[in-house]
Amino acid sequence: MNNKSNDILLEMRDIRIDGYSDDRWHEIIKGVDLTLRRGEILGLIGESGAGKSTLGLAAMGFARPGCKISSGSVQFDGMELTDMSENERRSLRGSRICYVAQSAAASFNPAHRLIEQTVEATVQYNLQSERDAKLDACGLYKELQLPDPDNIGNRYPHQVSGGQLQRVMTAMAMSSRPDLIIFDEPTTALDVTTQVEVLSSMRQIVEQFNTAAIYITHDLAVVAQMADTIKVLRYGETVEDAPTRVMLSDPQEEYTKSLWAVRSIQKQPSVSDDIALEVRGVDASYGASVKVLHDVSIKVPRGRTVAVVGESGSGKSTAARAITGLLPPSKGEILFNGQALPPALKNRSKEQLQRIQMIYQMADTAMNPRHTVRDIIGRPLQFYLGLTGRALDARILELLELIELDASFMDRLPGELSGGQKQRICIARALAAEPELIICDEVTSALDQIVQEGILKLLLRLQEELGITYIFITHDIATVKAISDEIVVMFQGKVVEQGSKDEIMAPPYPDYTELLLSSVPEMDPDWLTNLLSKRAS
Amino acid sequence: MHPILSTIIQRLGLGLLTLFIVSIIIFSSLEFLPGDFGQAVLGQAALPETVEAFRRELGLDRPPVERYFMWIGNVLQGDLGNAFSGRNASGVDRSREVWAMIEPRLMNTLFLATMAAVIAVPLALFLGITAALYRNSIYDRVVNSVTLTTISFPEFFVAYILILVFATYFKIFPSLANISDDTDFTEKIYRSALPAMALTMVIVAHMMRMTRAAIINLLASPYIEMAELKGVSKSKIILRHALPNAWAPIVNVIAFNLAYLVVGVVVVEVVFVYPGLGQLMVDAVTSRDIPVVQGCALIFAGTYILLNLFADIISIISNPRLLHPR
């Protein structure tokens, strides 16, 4: 992040972009200015719907179908993109401005080998012969620390992992040695441990070729590692612009401060010996051969929160499925209030079912889109408690009040609710059964920071008032720190560690816990640099 | 063994099983056909004893299960049996082998089907791809509505219109497509031009629309946007990025239509008096010549199964996830 010139590469002035929805055009970017020098990295942050990607694509003179750049100027290296013909604009893409997308798995064409896709733009513009471009691509793969760099390009996208694909996509963007790369949430879909590797190789390569970049993300800690300056967007308008260090140490706007609000929730952990649920030596497998859980034992104290953490594929959600009986364990037992639960869901009594409820990550798909809120919350009330008529309505109202929504929500459909409201309805549905234990499976992962904070506060309040026990499955360490009493660390289907939050979060750590905890980005621009030098030593 | 090979073998096995089940269905549905060959040849006035004797001679008095196994056993040895027609109650047997009757007709049908396919498949792909490329343009709309119009008219209507235009007003092609073994190749093509055109018009729309829809369906994929952001041109996006992923649905529709060209063309054959398999089968049904009907039906079923098998195999091969497992 040095060697900056004052030579301006990209200058966007008063950009306005309209999007078409509900049969009319809405302004989604409302007059944003942006300046980028050669070799500079600009972090663009904001919540979903803030217009980050739309603005990033506008820097390429591109608008997604259903969007149009209605006014403003985009000057790239002295050329006015908005005055160019579509063909002239196209000839800049892939040669001088490149794009790295969020979901690498979806952004690679499944029908072609990686190397063909890596060099496609370079060869198309005759920047290099196909042979040279491919040799160069292997070199880039090596720079990006991909395994077997000479041969990995001959694979198809489905044959490599998500983190590797993300790096191949960076190589693809780098192949034509562009002046500018737009990184659009490139690490959002990755596990924290993978994210560190991808971030460091991306940062190294843009530095090496002195490429300018716009780095789009919703994660302030990530952008702090990458960017020289940060721009905060909200509702299509600039909230604040500042150099990274200034922004982190001295944010001016309330909104900017609230972006890391979730990190400010701190629950005072408390310990209890009254065990509500005990998972004892459970093995579980999908089909006959794929064993996912190996001898998993977890103790869940009554009225407390046990956070289960681990990367994707570590068996967290499978453990939840075993507890609920959706996936009967092949070995071991599950004790609830000291009594063994029948392994399979269909053998459990209504009363046993009522005591354990579940909330899912995707509130969207966990609700029938044709049912109103009344139907959704009313169903468990009728099924478990036999409520009807006025008593039913009264109870639905009480539950709505409990989740801080008013009576006007009763007759709405899920499609008319925001993401946070949908998750609240799911919480109310779980509460309706009057359970003792609620399993929360990544319930805040799909939500923006501020909404996450609201949901977590609600869950904490409900625990205080109703004494509910939670098993909280997540990969997000910040969330774990915020709400847990006890922590279970899982890795490759095994429990690595279980203990109180203070024990787990304090050294000495077992190797895996150390790797996991140290990989969580911190709000410190030197964090990645320090971490890498520490790991190297 | 490569997983694809085992999948193909598995599909082949399933195809044979299907053919076996179809043979049972063919046989039993013919059992339900009212009347029989004996009755049909001898007429209403025949004495019951005469009919009975004739039935015995043809073997129709034996139980159906026994007859089925005799028939299928012979088929497995490549013998479709002898036709009923050519025999009569007086014991004179001038019947021909079923295969000898079917073979020239089958060749004619395959000739016509191939000719129509050679015109229709590339035409449909070309129209589908260009319509996807210029979607919602005037060109797209014209192609869509013209092909929709041709598929909406009944086949015989299309056939008669073609005769009216190309044989009556402009005397370019003959209206009767009477070909035989000794017709030479170019003459065959010339005489079959009108039926081939009629068939083309009937099947192009279906294949063209599927090609267009399958490609457009993929244009919303993130990897297509990625290609756009790499500056890939519109035509290359369709040919290089969308089409290779669209083969599976397209090939299935092509197979469906090719099968139709073999098994479903009887109306067009009748209009142009083309000596194909469809006509033979219809005549055989009318005269209750069961062995011929069975033979034709079995060939039709086999064609259908085989073409669908090809479609399956091509869609498997076009999917790199299956071709190159992890």
Side-chain angles (χ1 to χ4, degrees), chain A residues 396-448:
Chain A
I396 294 174
L397 270 180
E398 270 177 41
L399 285 164
L400 280 176
E401 204 175 302
L402 210 54
I403 55 163
E404 297 152 12
L405 295 178
D406 60 52
S408 69
F409 283 88
M410 282 271 258
D411 293 306
R412 294 211 205 164
L413 292 169
E416 302 166 45
L417 307 175
S418 73
Q421 288 166 344
K422 281 181 210 165
Q423 199 55 285
R424 280 170 194 261
I425 300 297
C426 289
I427 294 173
R429 175 173 62 183
L431 287 177
E434 299 180 359
E436 289 174 34
L437 172 71
I438 298 183
I439 301 174
C440 304
D441 190 356
E442 302 269 14
V443 290
T444 56
S445 304
L447 304 173
D448 285 321

Side-chain angles (χ1 to χ4, degrees), chain B residues 4-322:
Chain B
I4 295 241
L5 206 58
S6 55
T7 316
I8 290 174
I9 290 171
Q10 193 192 344
R11 293 290 161 97
L12 260 173
L14 278 175
L16 285 175
L17 182 70
T18 316
L19 200 56
F20 174 68
I21 294 168
V22 167
S23 74
I24 295 177
I25 295 172
I26 293 171
F27 188 86
S28 40
S29 57
L30 287 175
E31 282 300 301
F32 292 116
L33 218 56
D36 65 26
F37 183 74
Q39 196 80 56
V41 165
L42 300 174
Q44 296 293 333
L47 290 169
E49 295 85 51
T50 328
V51 175
E52 201 43 52
F54 191 41
R55 283 175 54 104
R56 208 168 18 250
E57 199 198 311
L58 293 173
L60 290 176
D61 57 333
R62 303 212 196 118
V65 177
E66 189 187 327
R67 275 187 287 130
Y68 171 75
F69 280 105
M70 272 178 60
W71 171 61
I72 202 75
N74 287 334
V75 169
L76 286 177
Q77 294 165 37
D79 176 15
L80 289 173
N82 274 22
F84 286 172
S85 55
R87 299 193 196 193
N88 57 34
S90 58
V92 185
D93 187 353
R94 277 193 294 270
S95 67
R96 301 165 60 198
E97 273 191 32
V98 171
W99 177 244
M101 296 170 73
I102 286 181
E103 198 235 28
R105 298 297 196 102
L106 177 63
M107 289 308 142
N108 289 346
T109 293
L110 289 180
F111 177 77
L112 182 59
T114 312
M115 191 167 154
V118 165
I119 304 170
V121 173
L123 181 67
L125 287 177
F126 174 78
L127 291 176
I129 291 170
T130 47
L133 185 58
Y134 304 108
R135 62 190 174 287
N136 303 329
S137 67
I138 302 281
Y139 172 80
D140 181 24
R141 277 175 220 173
V142 169
V143 168
N144 259 310
S145 42
V146 168
T147 50
L148 194 62
T149 312
T150 59
I151 203 179
S152 306
F153 287 121
E155 298 153 286
F156 66 86
F157 183 78
V158 174
Y160 283 127
I161 293 288
L162 286 174
I163 291 180
L164 191 67
V165 175
F166 292 106
T168 312
Y169 288 160
F170 309 100
K171 297 189 170 27
I172 306 174
F173 296 115
S175 62
L176 295 186
N178 53 338
I179 62 167
S180 62
D181 281 349
D182 43 11
T183 321
D184 75 82
F185 187 69
T186 42
E187 184 67 20
K188 263 191 189 175
I189 290 185
Y190 172 65
R191 290 192 192 171
S192 313
L194 286 186
M197 261 156 81
L199 289 173
T200 300
M201 290 173 77
V202 172
I203 64 168
V204 154
H206 197 187
M207 295 190 286
M208 171 259 154
R209 293 181 144 244
M210 181 50 93
T211 307
R212 179 182 180 275
I215 289 176
I216 288 181
N217 189 23
L218 290 174
L219 291 183
S221 319
Y223 60 82
I224 297 293
E225 187 182 273
M226 190 71 223
E228 280 181 74
L229 293 173
K230 283 201 284 185
V232 180
S233 66
K234 258 174 116 182
S235 51
K236 267 199 172 165
I237 283 181
I238 300 236
L239 290 174
R240 231 185 96 74
H241 289 274
L243 195 57
N245 293 294
W247 279 125
I250 296 175
V251 165
N252 270 302
V253 168
I254 291 180
F256 183 82
N257 281 288
L258 294 187
Y260 164 83
L261 284 180
V262 176
V263 309
V265 293
V266 64
V267 174
V268 174
E269 284 179 6
V270 169
V271 172
F272 293 100
V273 202
Y274 187 86
L277 200 53
Q279 265 201 11
L280 177 70
M281 182 162 171
V282 171
D283 293 345
V285 170
T286 319
S287 63
R288 302 287 183 274
D289 194 341
I290 305 297
V292 177
V293 179
Q294 285 172 339
C296 291
L298 212 54
I299 285 174
F300 285 161
T303 310
Y304 224 93
I305 291 169
L306 208 61
L307 281 168
N308 277 297
L309 190 70
F310 273 126
D312 276 0
I313 291 172
I314 291 177
S315 19
I316 292 171
I317 290 175
S318 75
N319 183 343
R321 280 169 196 278
L322 297 170

Side-chain angles (χ1 to χ4, degrees), chain A residues 196-216:
Chain A
V196 170
E197 296 161 17
V198 175
L199 278 180
S200 70
S201 49
M202 285 195 306
R203 193 174 76 174
Q204 192 200 336
I205 204 150
V206 292
E207 254 176 56
Q208 185 181 339
F209 295 105
N210 197 31
T211 314
I214 295 179
Y215 194 99
I216 298 166

Side-chain angles (χ1 to χ4, degrees), chain A residues 64-85:
Chain A
R64 289 210 163 109
C67 292
K68 62 170 190 208
I69 302 175
S70 55
S71 73
S73 116
V74 183
Q75 292 253 347
F76 175 78
D77 202 16
M79 296 174 282
E80 177 57 54
L81 295 193
T82 52
D83 291 342
M84 287 179 162
S85 73

Side-chain angles (χ1 to χ4, degrees), chain A residues 268-437:
Chain A
Q268 215 32 264
S270 62
V271 196
S272 162
D273 289 333
D274 181 11
I275 301 299
L277 179 103
E278 183 176 358
V279 178
R280 219 183 254 171
V282 160
D283 283 5
S285 39
Y286 289 112
S289 53
V290 191
K291 195 167 164 192
V292 193
L293 296 183
H294 305 268
D295 194 25
V296 167
S297 297
I298 299 172
K299 281 185 184 169
V300 185
R302 191 179 314 283
R304 302 292 186 275
T305 303
V306 172
V308 181
V309 286
E311 298 176 27
S312 51
S314 62
K316 312 184 293 286
S317 294
T318 311
R321 289 171 62 86
I323 294 169
T324 52
L326 287 168
L327 180 72
S330 52
K331 213 189 87 195
E333 53 182 358
I334 292 159
L335 304 172
F336 191 61
N337 292 332
Q339 287 186 332
L341 287 174
L345 187 68
K346 62 174 193 286
N347 299 330
R348 293 188 184 176
S349 70
K350 201 168 172 179
E351 201 257 336
Q352 285 168 331
L353 292 176
Q354 186 186 349
R355 296 285 158 239
I356 304 179
Q357 294 291 314
M358 186 144 179
I359 310 173
Y360 294 89
Q361 174 174 6
M362 303 306 284
D364 269 326
T365 51
M367 289 191 283
N368 186 329
R370 299 269 168 223
H371 283 181
T372 60
V373 167
R374 183 198 301 268
D375 300 331
I376 292 166
I377 304 180
R379 175 83 188 120
L381 292 173
Q382 293 167 331
F383 181 74
Y384 288 120
L385 309 171
L387 295 184
T388 50
R390 210 171 286 164
L392 179 67
D393 276 4
R395 181 67 187 144
I396 294 174
L397 270 180
E398 270 177 41
L399 285 164
L400 280 176
E401 204 175 302
L402 210 54
I403 55 163
E404 297 152 12
L405 295 178
D406 60 52
S408 69
F409 283 88
M410 282 271 258
D411 293 306
R412 294 211 205 164
L413 292 169
E416 302 166 45
L417 307 175
S418 73
Q421 288 166 344
K422 281 181 210 165
Q423 199 55 285
R424 280 170 194 261
I425 300 297
C426 289
I427 294 173
R429 175 173 62 183
L431 287 177
E434 299 180 359
E436 289 174 34
L437 172 71

